[in-house]
Amino acid sequence: MATDGDLGGGWSPRRLHRLPIAVFLVLLVVTAAVTTFSHTIVANQERRLLAERANEVSLVLADSLTSARASLALLASNVVIDGQAGFDREADTALTSIGGGPAGLALVRPGPAGLVVVAAAGTGLPVGSVLSGPSAVAVRAALAGTQITASGIYRVGGVRAVGLALAVRDGTALYRQSLLGPVRPPQGATTSPFSELRVVLYTSDHPDPAQVLVATTGHLPLRGAVSYAPLRVGDIRWLTGVKASQPLVGSVAASAQWVALAVGVAASVLVLLLVEGMARRRDATEEALRQEHRFAEALQRRLLPDIPAVAGLDIASGYVTGSDLQAVGGDWFDVFALPSGATGVAIGDVMGHDVEAAAVMAQLRSVLRGFASEGSDPATALERMGRFLDTFAIPAVVTVVYGVLDQPDPHGARRLTWANAGHLPPLLRRPDGSVRELDEGGSPLLGAPVVGPRPTATCALEAGDALLLYTDGLVEVPGGDLTRAIEGLRGTLSAADGPGADALCAAVLGADAGRHRRDDVAVLVVRVDDAPASPGPAAATG
């Protein structure tokens, strides 16, 4: 149970309420869903942009490779026209137009020893040398077709090299060999085209680390989100790999998922604290009300009298508060001995459910005892109580039934004299179970104008008769019919199991159990004891 002290203490999860935890978990689930959705959208957009950039890079590289092919094709046409003289004349020009690092050009023909260099320009391909390995494979592939072919990466004296081959005529092929340096990123400006990408060109159709032609990064192989695009020129089947060095969607969009996560978690924690704070304030308020109710109930019971034992009378009482959170009320009952030997019985209700009503109730109970002990009859006592309220300007509306039970006659019967100031009529139960409503002796309630004297009424209570006095909380239901409710109470009283006062009191309170009450219930049962048995005749003496 949370109290005021809990509000200032630590927020231990074991002390959190279920509702704030449930709301917090739901918000976390929503946050996770939004974060996942944001991540998916951003990742899909990043993959799409990366694929577009990979295709762009592949197209640029394909253009470069196509330029090399065109240069070789032009040289090949001159060789067809002028033979070796055309090669000698145009080779240096072809090397210059292709560009790149150290390179060599050669005319290659098959011979008894293999593919022999018959004419050469540049470096690395001396006349008379025989091609072997990947270079020979590329030349043979070119001689077998009409498209440009590539050798893949191979070593020449420990230096990486790559070759392009194109058939000329009559079993002759042009072969261009480029010597490559180690794989390292270029020292380009960050504003150069594709500077936001890490690009790797493979001389194979799959990412083979041994076939890296060029790369713009030293972190190989590429890991993470990598997009691959094929590079197709003639019979060349190379592969371009591209990875973004920075988000292509932009730094703001790339961080959207983390922003959503941070905002969602912060909002979830904030809502948790707010709902938990509200729950704890509610608990503290309810506990304060319960404590007030316990105090009020204890005060109420302290204000109610201890029922005295009266010879010849069986008396029982009961008091039930209207609700768990209701404050002290103004319902009361009393039984007291009068100087004349009679017994005063009273029940009343001060309208209201607060300490002020209880205070007025305590005053009126004491005032009634005082007036009764002075010898005032019931009507006069009620009249004087009304004047008491007026004299001291007590703004209260009060209903009271006050009756006087005379001392019993020889048969145990008693006369009841009573007056009723706006209260519900008492009920009289006979030993045979019949119930009479004592609706005589009525007058306006205390605090209301009264014209003329208040009336009194009398009736005889025989041995075994029981008088029931009660407050309106026992029968009144919001929107209900009061007459039918009193009829129901009469039926309950008539059917009560056992004639004793305790049994009758328990019956009427038990019939009311479980009903939603808006008012307190006070019940007083006064039963005239059965007449004592008459003594038998005296025994004869000898």
Side-chain angles (χ1 to χ4, degrees), residues 83-159:
Q84 186 168 342
F87 173 81
D88 293 337
R89 183 179 65 251
E90 301 292 341
D92 290 338
T93 301
L95 286 173
T96 303
S97 63
I98 293 175
L105 276 171
L107 274 177
V108 181
R109 293 193 182 105
L115 296 173
V116 180
V117 177
V118 297
T123 61
L125 294 171
V127 176
S129 61
V130 178
L131 299 184
S132 62
S135 58
V137 173
V139 171
R140 289 191 180 94
L143 292 174
T146 61
Q147 299 292 328
I148 188 171
T149 61
S151 65
I153 305 298
Y154 60 93
R155 294 279 176 173
V156 177
V159 179

Side-chain angles (χ1 to χ4, degrees), residues 354-373:
D354 50 27
V355 175
E356 183 177 354
V360 173
M361 175 266 287
Q363 287 178 300
L364 291 179
R365 186 170 66 87
S366 300
V367 166
L368 177 58
R369 283 197 173 199
F371 293 156
S373 65

Side-chain angles (χ1 to χ4, degrees), residues 33 48 71 170 204 240 305 375 401 422 477:
R48 186 182 66 80
S71 180
D170 302 332
S204 59
T240 303
V401 172
V477 178

Side-chain angles (χ1 to χ4, degrees), residues 368-449:
L368 177 58
R369 283 197 173 199
F371 293 156
S373 65
E374 293 174 357
S376 296
D377 62 83
T380 303
L382 295 186
E383 184 67 29
R384 295 179 68 183
M385 291 175 68
R387 290 200 299 269
F388 172 81
L389 293 177
D390 294 339
T391 301
F392 293 96
I394 299 176
V397 176
V398 184
T399 65
V400 184
V401 172
Y402 170 50
V404 176
L405 276 171
D406 292 342
Q407 296 189 38
D409 62 16
H411 303 287
R414 295 173 181 260
R415 186 182 66 176
L416 172 66
T417 304
W418 79 93
N420 186 339
H423 201 81
L424 294 174
L427 298 179
L428 178 61
R429 182 184 188 274
R430 300 297 187 182
D432 60 2
S434 61
V435 177
R436 173 191 169 191
E437 187 174 321
L438 303 183
D439 52 4
E440 303 91 347
S443 62
L445 45 78
L446 302 185

